[in-house]
Amino acid sequence: MKGVIPIKKSLLALYSLSHFWVDLSCAFLVFRTMADAPSFSLCLLLYNFCAFALQMPLGLLAGQWNRNGLTAGGGCLLTALAFLIPQPLPAAVAAGVGNALFHLGGGMDVLNSSERRAASLGVFVSPGALGLYIGSAWGRGSAPAFWLAPAGLLTLGAAIAWLYRRRPAPRNAPLDLSATSGYGVLLPLFLVVVLRSYMGMNQSFPWRDEGALLLTLALVLGKTAGGFAMDILGPRRSSLWSLGAAGVLYLLSALPLPGVLAVFLFNMTMPVTLWAAAQAMPGAKGFTFGLLTFALFLGFLPSFLGWPSLLAGPWAYAAAALVSLALLWGPLGMRAARC
């Protein structure tokens, strides 16, 4: 494998910028307009359910519709319309569904175009974390004019639709819900994403508040680097090096530098799991993309419900990295044999 991005650079850049802005806009809307509402907890739950859990059934429909660019552009439009809804609960649902549609349309286009490589997938998924960080800060504090977020969404949605009409990306494969390597491949991938999401919600460092921006950048750059590393080293070796090193560095994560590097390395497998799931079920990429975002939702739930964390301290974080590696080893070996 070589670290090449086959997808048209203009389309990848537009999807990546849109991912950043969609996630920024959703976080901004939630924390600016809903945080003081009595129903804020319900708004947050509904938003996350629609944005992540609903991607699985919506992915089946979007895959059959076979207009990924219009799905992504429509998601931007629906998210922009959420800013016009005065009631918090309907606005949360609209923003969540819009977010889900954008991710599905963009994700399927990138998966279809990148074929057996993961670099472009890493570039596409990584800006979302930075968007959430900035959008949350804007929503909780001072921010540019309220109209800036929906105006950007409308502009980006129109640009996606225009580029889609001019340069259509490869079409989705006919719907086929039979996994080429069996559903046993998808289950460990699903569990890895649940664990990664749970880690993101529960890991804590003594320096976390002061290093919040550094941790966010570690997430972003780790996801980006993970796709390139997989294309160069292969899925198994890249995961072995990244998760093995993350496990060692988590033991020293009371210090900022090892902790930031551990987070960077731990998140390198995100594009790898998305790539492997799509390879396991190539006739339902939207469904597999949604399956793993549903796993993200499940990892979010325990923290949202206030349950005590099962991960406490460096040894627990290191163990989570090694468990992730053990879960990935079998599925990635099967995927690598087909590349």
Side-chain angles (χ1 to χ4, degrees):
M1 294 183 182
K2 295 182 179 179
V4 178
I5 302 180
I7 187 174
K8 293 183 178 66
K9 291 182 180 179
S10 57
L11 183 61
L12 180 61
L14 181 56
Y15 274 141
S16 301
L17 174 61
S18 300
H19 188 185
F20 166 78
W21 199 257
V22 167
D23 282 7
L24 180 153
S25 301
C26 288
F28 175 58
L29 177 69
V30 167
F31 289 106
R32 174 55 62 92
T33 67
M34 303 175 194
D36 294 329
S39 59
F40 176 64
S41 293
L42 182 56
C43 288
L44 196 60
L45 180 63
L46 281 174
Y47 168 75
N48 280 283
F49 177 81
C50 293
F52 298 106
L54 272 189
Q55 283 195 46
M56 192 162 48
L58 288 176
L60 285 172
L61 297 174
Q64 289 183 282
W65 191 42
N66 223 342
R67 291 171 175 81
N68 299 332
L70 297 182
T71 299
C76 292
L77 173 61
L78 183 57
T79 306
L81 291 176
F83 282 77
L84 301 178
I85 300 175
Q87 298 300 318
L89 291 176
V93 170
V97 174
N99 186 298
L101 291 173
F102 166 76
H103 281 79
L104 286 168
M108 284 188 289
D109 257 355
V110 173
L111 284 167
N112 288 341
S113 301
S114 56
E115 298 174 346
R116 295 185 181 274
R117 298 181 177 90
S120 54
L121 189 58
V123 172
F124 168 66
V125 298
S126 59
L130 184 59
L132 288 173
Y133 177 84
I134 296 175
S136 300
W138 283 6
R140 293 186 175 108
S142 59
F146 187 75
W147 57 264
L148 181 63
L153 288 167
L154 292 174
T155 302
L156 290 166
I160 291 170
W162 177 80
L163 193 60
Y164 169 79
R165 296 295 297 271
R166 287 201 62 186
R167 300 177 182 177
R171 295 178 65 81
N172 303 329
L175 180 64
D176 181 6
L177 291 175
S178 61
T180 56
S181 302
Y183 285 88
V185 170
L186 293 174
L187 178 59
L189 298 175
F190 182 86
L191 294 175
V192 165
V193 178
V194 172
L195 180 57
R196 188 191 305 129
S197 176
Y198 187 78
M199 274 277 285
M201 295 297 298
N202 289 278
Q203 68 184 357
S204 181
F205 309 109
W207 44 270
R208 179 167 182 165
D209 291 341
E210 297 82 0
L213 179 57
L214 282 177
L215 286 172
T216 301
L217 292 176
L219 281 170
V220 173
L221 296 175
K223 293 171 185 178
T224 304
F228 286 96
M230 196 209 84
D231 290 352
I232 295 169
L233 300 173
R236 259 189 170 181
R237 279 192 295 171
S238 64
S239 298
L240 174 63
W241 282 105
S242 62
L243 290 173
V248 174
L249 288 167
Y250 268 129
L251 296 176
L252 305 171
S253 60
L255 300 173
L257 181 58
V260 169
L261 289 175
V263 171
F264 170 87
L265 291 162
F266 184 73
N267 283 277
M268 284 179 66
T269 57
M270 181 177 181
V272 179
T273 51
L274 290 169
W275 168 87
Q279 293 292 312
M281 195 177 283
K285 291 187 176 75
F287 173 78
T288 57
F289 199 95
L291 179 70
L292 296 190
T293 59
F294 178 60
L296 289 175
F297 177 73
L298 291 182
F300 148 85
L301 273 182
S303 176
F304 174 81
L305 295 172
W307 295 356
S309 175
L310 299 177
L311 296 174
W315 284 97
Y317 306 151
L322 297 180
V323 169
S324 297
L325 178 59
L327 288 169
L328 284 173
W329 195 252
L332 294 185
M334 297 178 72
R335 296 291 91 226
R338 293 177 177 269
C339 291

